[in-house]
Amino acid sequence: MTGRKRKPNGPNRSKYLSLSKGCERTLIRIGASPGNRSRGVMRIGGQVIPVTLGRGGILANKHEGDGATPRGMFHPLRLWWRHDRTARPRTSLPVRAIVPTDAWCEDPADRRYNRSIRVARDAVGDRLMRADHLYDFIVEIDHNTRPRIAGRGSAVFIHLARENFGPTAGCVGLKRNDMLRFLAKLTTRTKIVIG
């Protein structure tokens, strides 16, 4: 007899199928809209959600400051969330509340490049606690993390879109209700394919 597991028959079969289905990885695809490189669509199963992209469109060879959304396959790592503005959303991702000292290192010369950092309240940098609502929800993805290469792009997130649904600096933006539906489907095993 081989070591392969056989699917059970009889009354236990439906239980096996539901458990198997729950362990599947969700695949999410994001692509640009024809004729507008800073607008796109996100496809989750049969759902199509409008998104905003970087002003530079989708590029495979992303560099710091080019305004492009990176092409590739990524996984969500965690949700950063403004607990002072909204209730904790439903998600299977690890969740971290944003505090005033949270920021992201975008300096390619810094050893902490493309990592979350803590800074003094009066320091400059890409702060995660913003006056606008863009970063009320931030999905951190594994772009340029292993290996982390200086200058290949930092702080690429999936976050809320601007009120005018304008382009991002290289991230993916969603409307608030779409973000909440998106978060409910995410796990750290989800594959996000951009491009």
Side-chain angles (χ1 to χ4, degrees), residues 28-115:
I28 295 172
R29 293 188 178 277
I30 300 171
S33 297
N36 189 344
R37 66 184 185 173
S38 66
R39 294 271 178 103
V41 293
M42 174 185 286
R43 298 179 192 283
I44 308 174
Q47 252 186 323
V48 178
I49 299 170
V51 298
T52 60
L53 303 169
R55 64 183 182 277
I58 297 174
L59 291 179
N61 193 20
K62 175 158 181 63
H63 290 351
E64 191 68 41
D66 62 8
T69 301
R71 179 184 305 274
M73 186 186 72
F74 308 100
H75 294 91
L77 300 177
R78 68 179 148 181
L79 169 69
W80 295 77
W81 145 74
R82 283 292 298 268
H83 64 96
D84 58 323
R85 289 184 170 172
T86 184
R88 181 178 171 148
R90 188 168 60 91
T91 188
S92 293
L93 290 178
V95 179
R96 181 167 163 181
I98 297 170
V99 298
T101 55
D102 283 328
W104 208 266
C105 182
E106 296 179 315
D107 179 0
D110 193 311
R111 63 180 174 75
R112 302 168 302 169
Y113 177 67
N114 196 29
R115 291 185 180 155

Side-chain angles (χ1 to χ4, degrees), residues 122-137:
D122 58 347
V124 296
D126 191 8
R127 293 191 169 273
L128 302 188
M129 188 171 269
R130 298 172 52 127
D132 62 22
H133 291 278
L134 291 187
Y135 285 3
D136 284 5
F137 303 106

Side-chain angles (χ1 to χ4, degrees), residues 7 13-26 187 189:
K7 293 180 184 178
R13 182 169 172 76
S14 63
K15 183 177 177 185
Y16 174 86
L17 291 174
S18 65
L19 288 173
S20 297
K21 191 171 184 180
C23 293
E24 289 175 4
R25 292 183 183 181
T26 303
T187 74
R189 293 170 53 87

